[in-house]
Amino acid sequence: MEKGEIRINTENIFPIIKKAVYSDHEIFLRELVSNGVDAISKRRMASMAGDCENTEEAQVIITINREQNTLTISDNGIGMNDEEIKKYINQVAFSSAEEFLTKYKKDNDEFIGHFGLGFYSSFMVADRVDILTKSAIGESKAFKWSCDGSPNFTLEESERVSIGTDVILHLLEEEKEFIEPERIKSLIKKYCDFMPIDVLLEGEIINKKNPPWRKQPNELKDEDYIELYKYLYPFQGDPLLWIHLNTDYPYDIQGILYFPKLSGRADWEKGEIKLFCNQVFVSDSIKEIVPKYLLPLRGVIDSTDIPLNVSRSALQTDRKVRSISSFISKKIANKLKDLIKNSPEFYAEIWDSISAFIKIGAIEDDKFADLVDSSIIFETIINSEKDVTKDIENKSLIKSNDKYFTTLANYKERNKINDSKKIIYCSDLIAQSSALNICLSDNKEVIKSDPLIDAQFLPWLESKNEDYQFQRVDSEINELEDKESNEIVDKDGKSNTDNLRDTIVKALNNEKVTVKVHSLSSKDAPPAMILLPEQMRRINDMGAYMEQKMPGLPEYHVLLINKEHPLIVGLNKITSSKIIIDKKDSIENPLASKIVNHVYDMAKLSVGGLDQEQIIILQNNNAELISELLNSTN
């Protein structure tokens, strides 16, 4: 029997392995099963070279012995002779102890995977580890290696008959959970489910094997992709679409990425894409490998070209990792181009669920923005009486579930926007309904925007394309008003409209409110509307965003009075008669003042410009005003 000392220069290596290298002790099983699969692969290659015989039934077997408190991981791979044991087992991670300690004394979270440690992860859960092994090459004898967690080991001949390796872990008292079959099954499912070799426990194969992402796309049906998604993400429904990654040059990467149906705001920080290396699960936190805007995607990336033993900060600057990230982005962009070209109705149907990925990706990544430029669409609102048949036939418009979608280029073409850059949009169908209806009645087409993402995306589009100028439906009056009719003026040179405006200005007594009076074309137009100039509103919204609160009504705004509305017509009669009869300031009429303020408050209410306390005051004033009007008719 040979005795010796593992080739390290310090004796605190094992405590570091046990406590500092991995955040989860369960990783040891991944390492040992991976080693077994590697040994089987090596035996297969050696047999092809004529150096040994291959095994007929390659498998990794896990055996539990409750009486002895041991867990054994066995393989029928290539095995080792005594010299190989000394080379591969007695040299920790193929590097000096000083380098090893310097690297792994750092925070656990600084590293992704530590495959170089391999076998030594056993000592996180065991106080003694035995190896029984016999090489498949030559007339090798069997050997037994044993270590109690110190730098000391023993190496002696054994009576093992079969070729392969047994790793026997004598578990620590506090690690007895690893002799429970269900615990082992759960770990195999998590880490080794898609390894290419059968993994057995108590005579049962407990891994799926044959990962779909290692196959060619033409070998898989839609059902295969959906089945994998549901297996990886139970109870999440079906995915919207998927992208199959498969390349071996200039780097090796396979995988399947899914666009999920999101039931709420996506997680843009962690992500749920699972990283594999040679079909072995490594991590589900890969924000250093894919762009942030792709983190809400789901699926699998399997690559041997992603370094697993470097810090996360180093991953972010690694040239090959950046190249892989660009490759993934390009594949996704190409998939989107293909969908909008060949399946536009389906693309429009899922647009609401995928638009956030695309828009944020375009803002954050110029190359991605160029790739998806023609794939960005908006829902567009069109007068229901307008015939859009030809637009649908020539694919200028996409119809999906009674909704219409368009690219901005097609929007400008349909609306003959050549000299003007203006693109009208609506971000709230309820709050902006009055202005929207006026636009629609004038046969203007209005795109629908997301109030959160598009608050950043539309200005970004303007900065990238000088032909785009976005204007919200309620931002200006020029497009909302009828031509002024000729009115008779009084001796002071003021028309009835001028006098009405003066009355309202005096009643409001607010220099921050600009009052404008017009005849609005729409029959459904309200008595008054709040208008916010586009740039002023954007500044207000940005300020609210910086303060992390919902945008409110800016102090400075326009009150547009619709003089054709019956309520304003009645108000006009009251103020006009007062002027003629009493020759006094019309605002002396308390009823007129109350009507003016009521109209103004209702306009503010429609755009969310009243807080809860102000709404209660409005309700009280409304009841008082109606009572006064009823009494005045008696």
Side-chain angles (χ1 to χ4, degrees), residues 176-226:
K176 281 189 174 182
E177 63 179 284
F178 297 112
I179 60 173
E180 296 299 330
E182 292 305 315
R183 179 72 167 122
I184 298 299
K185 288 180 181 179
S186 69
L187 293 180
I188 294 300
K189 179 178 180 180
K190 179 178 180 180
Y191 294 107
C192 307
D193 213 12
F194 296 100
M195 301 191 80
I197 303 299
D198 288 337
V199 179
L200 283 74
L201 176 65
E202 299 177 340
E204 174 190 359
I205 298 175
I206 58 174
N207 65 322
K208 287 180 70 69
K209 219 168 56 168
N210 300 324
W213 62 85
R214 287 281 180 170
K215 298 180 180 180
Q216 294 297 321
N218 59 13
E219 299 179 64
L220 300 173
K221 299 178 181 179
D222 289 355
E223 293 79 5
D224 298 317
Y225 289 105
I226 295 173

Short mmCIF file of all heavy atoms in Angstrom, two decimals, residues 176-226:
data_model
loop_
_atom_site.label_atom_id
_atom_site.label_comp_id
_atom_site.label_asym_id
_atom_site.label_seq_id
_atom_site.Cartn_x
_atom_site.Cartn_y
_atom_site.Cartn_z
N LYS A 176 -27.01 14.18 5.72
CA LYS A 176 -27.74 12.92 5.49
C LYS A 176 -28.92 13.08 4.51
O LYS A 176 -29.48 12.08 4.07
CB LYS A 176 -28.26 12.37 6.82
CG LYS A 176 -27.18 11.65 7.63
CD LYS A 176 -27.79 10.91 8.82
CE LYS A 176 -26.75 10.07 9.53
NZ LYS A 176 -27.33 9.32 10.67
N GLU A 177 -29.27 14.30 4.19
CA GLU A 177 -30.36 14.49 3.23
C GLU A 177 -30.03 13.84 1.89
O GLU A 177 -30.93 13.50 1.11
CB GLU A 177 -30.60 15.98 3.01
CG GLU A 177 -29.41 16.72 2.40
CD GLU A 177 -29.67 18.19 2.17
OE1 GLU A 177 -30.37 18.50 1.19
OE2 GLU A 177 -29.17 19.00 2.97
N PHE A 178 -28.73 13.64 1.62
CA PHE A 178 -28.33 13.11 0.32
C PHE A 178 -28.37 11.58 0.23
O PHE A 178 -27.90 11.02 -0.77
CB PHE A 178 -26.92 13.63 -0.03
CG PHE A 178 -26.87 15.12 -0.18
CD1 PHE A 178 -26.17 15.90 0.73
CD2 PHE A 178 -27.55 15.75 -1.21
CE1 PHE A 178 -26.15 17.28 0.60
CE2 PHE A 178 -27.53 17.13 -1.35
CZ PHE A 178 -26.82 17.90 -0.43
N ILE A 179 -28.96 10.94 1.24
CA ILE A 179 -29.24 9.51 1.08
C ILE A 179 -30.74 9.28 0.89
O ILE A 179 -31.20 8.13 0.87
CB ILE A 179 -28.73 8.66 2.29
CG1 ILE A 179 -29.41 9.11 3.59
CG2 ILE A 179 -27.22 8.72 2.39
CD1 ILE A 179 -29.08 8.19 4.77
N GLU A 180 -31.48 10.39 0.70
CA GLU A 180 -32.90 10.27 0.43
C GLU A 180 -33.13 10.20 -1.08
O GLU A 180 -32.69 11.10 -1.82
CB GLU A 180 -33.67 11.46 1.01
CG GLU A 180 -33.60 11.56 2.52
CD GLU A 180 -34.21 10.34 3.20
OE1 GLU A 180 -35.14 9.73 2.63
OE2 GLU A 180 -33.76 10.01 4.32
N PRO A 181 -33.78 9.15 -1.57
CA PRO A 181 -33.96 8.98 -3.02
C PRO A 181 -34.61 10.18 -3.71
O PRO A 181 -34.18 10.58 -4.81
CB PRO A 181 -34.85 7.73 -3.11
CG PRO A 181 -34.55 6.96 -1.87
CD PRO A 181 -34.31 7.99 -0.82
N GLU A 182 -35.62 10.77 -3.08
CA GLU A 182 -36.31 11.90 -3.71
C GLU A 182 -35.40 13.12 -3.85
O GLU A 182 -35.50 13.88 -4.81
CB GLU A 182 -37.57 12.27 -2.93
CG GLU A 182 -38.66 11.21 -2.99
CD GLU A 182 -39.03 10.86 -4.42
OE1 GLU A 182 -39.20 11.79 -5.26
OE2 GLU A 182 -39.14 9.66 -4.73
N ARG A 183 -34.52 13.28 -2.86
CA ARG A 183 -33.56 14.40 -2.93
C ARG A 183 -32.59 14.17 -4.10
O ARG A 183 -32.30 15.10 -4.86
CB ARG A 183 -32.78 14.49 -1.62
CG ARG A 183 -31.75 15.61 -1.59
CD ARG A 183 -32.41 16.96 -1.49
NE ARG A 183 -31.46 18.00 -1.15
CZ ARG A 183 -31.22 19.07 -1.88
NH1 ARG A 183 -31.89 19.26 -3.01
NH2 ARG A 183 -30.35 19.98 -1.51
N ILE A 184 -32.12 12.96 -4.26
CA ILE A 184 -31.22 12.64 -5.37
C ILE A 184 -31.92 12.84 -6.71
O ILE A 184 -31.37 13.44 -7.64
CB ILE A 184 -30.70 11.19 -5.26
CG1 ILE A 184 -29.89 11.02 -3.97
CG2 ILE A 184 -29.88 10.81 -6.47
CD1 ILE A 184 -28.67 11.88 -3.89
N LYS A 185 -33.17 12.39 -6.81
CA LYS A 185 -33.92 12.54 -8.07
C LYS A 185 -34.09 14.02 -8.43
O LYS A 185 -33.98 14.40 -9.60
CB LYS A 185 -35.28 11.86 -7.95
CG LYS A 185 -35.23 10.34 -7.93
CD LYS A 185 -36.64 9.76 -7.80
CE LYS A 185 -36.60 8.23 -7.77
NZ LYS A 185 -37.96 7.64 -7.62
N SER A 186 -34.40 14.82 -7.42
CA SER A 186 -34.61 16.25 -7.69
C SER A 186 -33.32 16.92 -8.19
O SER A 186 -33.36 17.79 -9.06
CB SER A 186 -35.13 16.96 -6.44
OG SER A 186 -34.14 17.02 -5.43
N LEU A 187 -32.19 16.49 -7.64
CA LEU A 187 -30.91 17.07 -8.07
C LEU A 187 -30.53 16.61 -9.47
O LEU A 187 -29.99 17.40 -10.26
CB LEU A 187 -29.81 16.70 -7.07
CG LEU A 187 -29.96 17.31 -5.67
CD1 LEU A 187 -28.81 16.87 -4.78
CD2 LEU A 187 -30.01 18.83 -5.74
N ILE A 188 -30.79 15.36 -9.78
CA ILE A 188 -30.51 14.87 -11.13
C ILE A 188 -31.38 15.61 -12.14
O ILE A 188 -30.93 15.99 -13.23
CB ILE A 188 -30.72 13.34 -11.22
CG1 ILE A 188 -29.68 12.61 -10.36
CG2 ILE A 188 -30.63 12.88 -12.67
CD1 ILE A 188 -28.25 12.87 -10.76
N LYS A 189 -32.63 15.82 -11.80
CA LYS A 189 -33.53 16.55 -12.70
C LYS A 189 -33.03 17.97 -12.91
O LYS A 189 -33.08 18.52 -14.02
CB LYS A 189 -34.95 16.57 -12.13
CG LYS A 189 -35.92 17.35 -13.02
CD LYS A 189 -37.34 17.32 -12.46
CE LYS A 189 -38.28 18.12 -13.37
NZ LYS A 189 -39.67 18.12 -12.87
N LYS A 190 -32.53 18.58 -11.85
CA LYS A 190 -32.08 19.97 -11.94
C LYS A 190 -30.80 20.09 -12.75
O LYS A 190 -30.69 20.97 -13.61
CB LYS A 190 -31.87 20.53 -10.53
CG LYS A 190 -31.37 21.98 -10.51
CD LYS A 190 -31.24 22.47 -9.07
CE LYS A 190 -30.75 23.93 -9.04
NZ LYS A 190 -30.63 24.44 -7.66
N TYR A 191 -29.82 19.23 -12.46
CA TYR A 191 -28.48 19.41 -13.03
C TYR A 191 -28.14 18.47 -14.19
O TYR A 191 -27.38 18.84 -15.07
CB TYR A 191 -27.41 19.24 -11.94
CG TYR A 191 -27.45 20.30 -10.88
CD1 TYR A 191 -27.93 20.02 -9.60
CD2 TYR A 191 -27.02 21.60 -11.14
CE1 TYR A 191 -27.96 21.00 -8.61
CE2 TYR A 191 -27.05 22.58 -10.16
CZ TYR A 191 -27.52 22.27 -8.90
OH TYR A 191 -27.56 23.25 -7.93
N CYS A 192 -28.63 17.26 -14.14
CA CYS A 192 -28.14 16.23 -15.07
C CYS A 192 -29.24 15.60 -15.90
O CYS A 192 -29.05 14.52 -16.48
CB CYS A 192 -27.42 15.13 -14.27
SG CYS A 192 -26.14 15.74 -13.17
N ASP A 193 -30.38 16.25 -15.99
CA ASP A 193 -31.53 15.63 -16.64
C ASP A 193 -31.28 15.35 -18.12
O ASP A 193 -31.81 14.40 -18.68
CB ASP A 193 -32.75 16.54 -16.49
CG ASP A 193 -34.04 15.76 -16.38
OD1 ASP A 193 -33.98 14.53 -16.19
OD2 ASP A 193 -35.11 16.38 -16.48
N PHE A 194 -30.46 16.18 -18.76
CA PHE A 194 -30.28 16.05 -20.20
C PHE A 194 -28.90 15.53 -20.57
O PHE A 194 -28.45 15.72 -21.70
CB PHE A 194 -30.54 17.41 -20.87
CG PHE A 194 -31.96 17.88 -20.71
CD1 PHE A 194 -32.29 18.82 -19.75
CD2 PHE A 194 -32.96 17.36 -21.50
CE1 PHE A 194 -33.60 19.25 -19.60
CE2 PHE A 194 -34.27 17.78 -21.36
CZ PHE A 194 -34.60 18.73 -20.40
N MET A 195 -28.24 14.88 -19.64
CA MET A 195 -26.95 14.28 -19.96
C MET A 195 -27.18 13.10 -20.91
O MET A 195 -28.20 12.42 -20.84
CB MET A 195 -26.23 13.85 -18.69
CG MET A 195 -25.99 15.00 -17.74
SD MET A 195 -24.89 14.60 -16.41
CE MET A 195 -23.32 14.76 -17.21
N PRO A 196 -26.20 12.81 -21.80
CA PRO A 196 -26.42 11.81 -22.85
C PRO A 196 -26.33 10.36 -22.38
O PRO A 196 -26.48 9.45 -23.19
CB PRO A 196 -25.29 12.12 -23.84
CG PRO A 196 -24.21 12.72 -23.01
CD PRO A 196 -24.90 13.50 -21.94
N ILE A 197 -26.09 10.15 -21.09
CA ILE A 197 -25.95 8.80 -20.54
C ILE A 197 -27.07 8.56 -19.53
O ILE A 197 -27.46 9.46 -18.78
CB ILE A 197 -24.58 8.63 -19.86
CG1 ILE A 197 -23.45 8.94 -20.84
CG2 ILE A 197 -24.42 7.23 -19.28
CD1 ILE A 197 -23.41 8.04 -22.05
N ASP A 198 -27.59 7.33 -19.48
CA ASP A 198 -28.60 6.97 -18.49
C ASP A 198 -28.02 7.11 -17.08
O ASP A 198 -26.92 6.64 -16.80
CB ASP A 198 -29.07 5.53 -18.69
CG ASP A 198 -29.94 5.38 -19.92
OD1 ASP A 198 -30.52 6.38 -20.36
OD2 ASP A 198 -30.02 4.24 -20.45
N VAL A 199 -28.79 7.76 -16.20
CA VAL A 199 -28.44 7.83 -14.78
C VAL A 199 -29.48 7.01 -14.03
O VAL A 199 -30.68 7.26 -14.14
CB VAL A 199 -28.42 9.28 -14.28
CG1 VAL A 199 -28.06 9.31 -12.79
CG2 VAL A 199 -27.43 10.12 -15.09
N LEU A 200 -29.02 6.02 -13.26
CA LEU A 200 -29.92 5.08 -12.58
C LEU A 200 -29.85 5.26 -11.07
O LEU A 200 -28.77 5.50 -10.50
CB LEU A 200 -29.58 3.63 -12.92
CG LEU A 200 -30.03 3.10 -14.30
CD1 LEU A 200 -29.16 3.66 -15.40
CD2 LEU A 200 -30.02 1.60 -14.32
N LEU A 201 -30.99 5.12 -10.44
CA LEU A 201 -31.09 5.08 -8.98
C LEU A 201 -32.07 3.99 -8.61
O LEU A 201 -33.21 3.99 -9.07
CB LEU A 201 -31.58 6.43 -8.42
CG LEU A 201 -31.83 6.49 -6.91
CD1 LEU A 201 -30.53 6.29 -6.14
CD2 LEU A 201 -32.50 7.80 -6.51
N GLU A 202 -31.60 3.01 -7.83
CA GLU A 202 -32.44 1.88 -7.42
C GLU A 202 -33.06 1.18 -8.64
O GLU A 202 -34.23 0.82 -8.65
CB GLU A 202 -33.52 2.34 -6.45
CG GLU A 202 -32.95 2.95 -5.17
CD GLU A 202 -34.03 3.47 -4.24
OE1 GLU A 202 -35.16 3.71 -4.71
OE2 GLU A 202 -33.76 3.63 -3.05
N GLY A 203 -32.24 1.06 -9.69
CA GLY A 203 -32.68 0.34 -10.89
C GLY A 203 -33.55 1.13 -11.83
O GLY A 203 -33.97 0.61 -12.88
N GLU A 204 -33.82 2.38 -11.52
CA GLU A 204 -34.70 3.22 -12.34
C GLU A 204 -33.90 4.33 -13.02
O GLU A 204 -33.08 4.99 -12.38
CB GLU A 204 -35.79 3.84 -11.46
CG GLU A 204 -36.69 4.83 -12.18
CD GLU A 204 -37.59 5.60 -11.22
OE1 GLU A 204 -37.54 5.33 -10.00
OE2 GLU A 204 -38.34 6.47 -11.71
N ILE A 205 -34.14 4.52 -14.32
CA ILE A 205 -33.52 5.64 -15.03
C ILE A 205 -34.22 6.92 -14.59
O ILE A 205 -35.44 7.05 -14.70
CB ILE A 205 -33.64 5.46 -16.55
CG1 ILE A 205 -32.90 4.20 -17.00
CG2 ILE A 205 -33.07 6.69 -17.28
CD1 ILE A 205 -33.07 3.88 -18.49
N ILE A 206 -33.46 7.88 -14.10
CA ILE A 206 -34.06 9.09 -13.50
C ILE A 206 -33.74 10.36 -14.28
O ILE A 206 -34.03 11.46 -13.80
CB ILE A 206 -33.65 9.24 -12.03
CG1 ILE A 206 -32.12 9.31 -11.90
CG2 ILE A 206 -34.21 8.10 -11.19
CD1 ILE A 206 -31.66 9.60 -10.47
N ASN A 207 -33.14 10.24 -15.44
CA ASN A 207 -32.93 11.44 -16.27
C ASN A 207 -33.58 11.26 -17.64
O ASN A 207 -33.83 10.14 -18.09
CB ASN A 207 -31.43 11.73 -16.43
CG ASN A 207 -30.70 10.64 -17.19
OD1 ASN A 207 -30.99 9.46 -17.03
ND2 ASN A 207 -29.73 11.03 -18.00
N LYS A 208 -33.89 12.39 -18.29
CA LYS A 208 -34.60 12.35 -19.57
C LYS A 208 -33.67 12.00 -20.73
O LYS A 208 -34.05 11.35 -21.67
CB LYS A 208 -35.26 13.70 -19.86
CG LYS A 208 -36.47 13.99 -19.01
CD LYS A 208 -37.07 15.34 -19.35
CE LYS A 208 -37.71 15.35 -20.73
NZ LYS A 208 -38.92 14.53 -20.79
N LYS A 209 -32.42 12.48 -20.65
CA LYS A 209 -31.46 12.28 -21.72
C LYS A 209 -31.91 13.02 -22.98
O LYS A 209 -32.90 13.73 -22.97
CB LYS A 209 -31.27 10.78 -22.00
CG LYS A 209 -29.83 10.38 -22.30
CD LYS A 209 -29.63 8.87 -22.28
CE LYS A 209 -30.52 8.09 -23.19
NZ LYS A 209 -30.09 6.68 -23.35
N ASN A 210 -31.19 12.91 -24.07
CA ASN A 210 -31.57 13.40 -25.40
C ASN A 210 -32.20 14.79 -25.40
O ASN A 210 -33.39 14.95 -25.65
CB ASN A 210 -32.54 12.42 -26.06
CG ASN A 210 -31.93 11.05 -26.21
OD1 ASN A 210 -30.74 10.92 -26.48
ND2 ASN A 210 -32.75 10.02 -26.03
N PRO A 211 -31.45 15.85 -25.09
CA PRO A 211 -32.02 17.20 -25.09
C PRO A 211 -32.43 17.64 -26.49
O PRO A 211 -31.66 17.47 -27.45
CB PRO A 211 -30.87 18.07 -24.56
CG PRO A 211 -29.64 17.30 -24.89
CD PRO A 211 -30.01 15.85 -24.78
N PRO A 212 -33.61 18.20 -26.66
CA PRO A 212 -34.07 18.63 -27.98
C PRO A 212 -33.15 19.67 -28.62
O PRO A 212 -33.04 19.71 -29.86
CB PRO A 212 -35.46 19.22 -27.69
CG PRO A 212 -35.90 18.56 -26.43
CD PRO A 212 -34.65 18.36 -25.63
N TRP A 213 -32.52 20.52 -27.82
CA TRP A 213 -31.71 21.58 -28.41
C TRP A 213 -30.44 21.05 -29.08
O TRP A 213 -29.80 21.77 -29.84
CB TRP A 213 -31.35 22.65 -27.38
CG TRP A 213 -30.51 22.16 -26.22
CD1 TRP A 213 -29.15 22.04 -26.20
CD2 TRP A 213 -30.97 21.76 -24.93
NE1 TRP A 213 -28.73 21.57 -24.97
CE2 TRP A 213 -29.83 21.40 -24.16
CE3 TRP A 213 -32.23 21.66 -24.34
CZ2 TRP A 213 -29.92 20.95 -22.86
CZ3 TRP A 213 -32.31 21.22 -23.03
CH2 TRP A 213 -31.18 20.88 -22.30
N ARG A 214 -30.09 19.80 -28.83
CA ARG A 214 -28.94 19.19 -29.49
C ARG A 214 -29.32 18.60 -30.86
O ARG A 214 -28.46 18.14 -31.60
CB ARG A 214 -28.34 18.10 -28.61
CG ARG A 214 -27.58 18.62 -27.41
CD ARG A 214 -26.19 19.09 -27.82
NE ARG A 214 -25.43 19.60 -26.69
CZ ARG A 214 -24.14 19.90 -26.74
NH1 ARG A 214 -23.48 19.73 -27.87
NH2 ARG A 214 -23.53 20.38 -25.69
N LYS A 215 -30.59 18.62 -31.17
CA LYS A 215 -31.05 18.10 -32.45
C LYS A 215 -31.14 19.24 -33.47
O LYS A 215 -31.11 20.41 -33.12
CB LYS A 215 -32.42 17.43 -32.29
CG LYS A 215 -32.43 16.23 -31.34
CD LYS A 215 -33.82 15.63 -31.24
CE LYS A 215 -33.83 14.43 -30.29
NZ LYS A 215 -35.18 13.84 -30.17
N GLN A 216 -31.27 18.87 -34.72
CA GLN A 216 -31.48 19.86 -35.78
C GLN A 216 -32.94 20.31 -35.76
O GLN A 216 -33.83 19.51 -35.45
CB GLN A 216 -31.13 19.26 -37.15
CG GLN A 216 -29.66 18.93 -37.33
CD GLN A 216 -28.77 20.16 -37.25
OE1 GLN A 216 -29.12 21.22 -37.76
NE2 GLN A 216 -27.63 20.01 -36.60
N PRO A 217 -33.20 21.56 -36.10
CA PRO A 217 -34.59 22.06 -36.10
C PRO A 217 -35.54 21.22 -36.94
O PRO A 217 -36.71 21.05 -36.58
CB PRO A 217 -34.45 23.48 -36.64
CG PRO A 217 -33.07 23.89 -36.28
CD PRO A 217 -32.23 22.64 -36.39
N ASN A 218 -35.05 20.66 -38.08
CA ASN A 218 -35.94 19.87 -38.93
C ASN A 218 -36.28 18.51 -38.34
O ASN A 218 -37.10 17.77 -38.87
CB ASN A 218 -35.34 19.71 -40.33
CG ASN A 218 -33.97 19.04 -40.31
OD1 ASN A 218 -33.56 18.48 -39.30
ND2 ASN A 218 -33.27 19.09 -41.43
N GLU A 219 -35.63 18.17 -37.21
CA GLU A 219 -35.94 16.91 -36.53
C GLU A 219 -37.06 17.08 -35.51
O GLU A 219 -37.54 16.10 -34.94
CB GLU A 219 -34.70 16.36 -35.82
CG GLU A 219 -33.53 16.04 -36.73
CD GLU A 219 -32.35 15.52 -35.94
OE1 GLU A 219 -32.47 14.44 -35.32
OE2 GLU A 219 -31.30 16.20 -35.92
N LEU A 220 -37.45 18.32 -35.24
CA LEU A 220 -38.42 18.60 -34.18
C LEU A 220 -39.71 19.15 -34.75
O LEU A 220 -39.73 19.88 -35.74
CB LEU A 220 -37.82 19.62 -33.20
CG LEU A 220 -36.54 19.20 -32.47
CD1 LEU A 220 -35.99 20.37 -31.66
CD2 LEU A 220 -36.77 18.00 -31.57
N LYS A 221 -40.81 18.82 -34.08
CA LYS A 221 -42.12 19.37 -34.39
C LYS A 221 -42.46 20.44 -33.35
O LYS A 221 -41.82 20.55 -32.31
CB LYS A 221 -43.18 18.26 -34.38
CG LYS A 221 -42.94 17.16 -35.39
CD LYS A 221 -44.01 16.08 -35.27
CE LYS A 221 -43.78 14.96 -36.27
NZ LYS A 221 -44.80 13.89 -36.15
N ASP A 222 -43.50 21.21 -33.65
CA ASP A 222 -43.93 22.22 -32.68
C ASP A 222 -44.22 21.60 -31.33
O ASP A 222 -43.91 22.19 -30.28
CB ASP A 222 -45.19 22.93 -33.20
CG ASP A 222 -44.90 23.84 -34.37
OD1 ASP A 222 -43.70 24.01 -34.72
OD2 ASP A 222 -45.85 24.39 -34.95
N GLU A 223 -44.80 20.41 -31.34
CA GLU A 223 -45.15 19.73 -30.09
C GLU A 223 -43.90 19.45 -29.25
O GLU A 223 -43.95 19.49 -28.01
CB GLU A 223 -45.88 18.42 -30.37
CG GLU A 223 -47.26 18.59 -30.99
CD GLU A 223 -47.21 18.88 -32.49
OE1 GLU A 223 -46.09 18.85 -33.07
OE2 GLU A 223 -48.28 19.14 -33.07
N ASP A 224 -42.77 19.18 -29.91
CA ASP A 224 -41.53 18.90 -29.18
C ASP A 224 -41.03 20.15 -28.46
O ASP A 224 -40.59 20.08 -27.30
CB ASP A 224 -40.45 18.39 -30.14
CG ASP A 224 -40.84 17.09 -30.82
OD1 ASP A 224 -41.39 16.20 -30.12
OD2 ASP A 224 -40.63 16.96 -32.04
N TYR A 225 -41.11 21.28 -29.15
CA TYR A 225 -40.68 22.53 -28.52
C TYR A 225 -41.58 22.89 -27.33
O TYR A 225 -41.11 23.30 -26.27
CB TYR A 225 -40.70 23.67 -29.54
CG TYR A 225 -39.63 23.58 -30.59
CD1 TYR A 225 -39.93 23.18 -31.89
CD2 TYR A 225 -38.31 23.91 -30.30
CE1 TYR A 225 -38.94 23.11 -32.87
CE2 TYR A 225 -37.31 23.84 -31.28
CZ TYR A 225 -37.64 23.44 -32.55
OH TYR A 225 -36.66 23.37 -33.51
N ILE A 226 -42.88 22.74 -27.52
CA ILE A 226 -43.83 23.08 -26.46
C ILE A 226 -43.68 22.13 -25.28
O ILE A 226 -43.76 22.55 -24.11
CB ILE A 226 -45.28 23.05 -27.01
CG1 ILE A 226 -45.46 24.16 -28.05
CG2 ILE A 226 -46.29 23.20 -25.89
CD1 ILE A 226 -46.78 24.12 -28.78
#
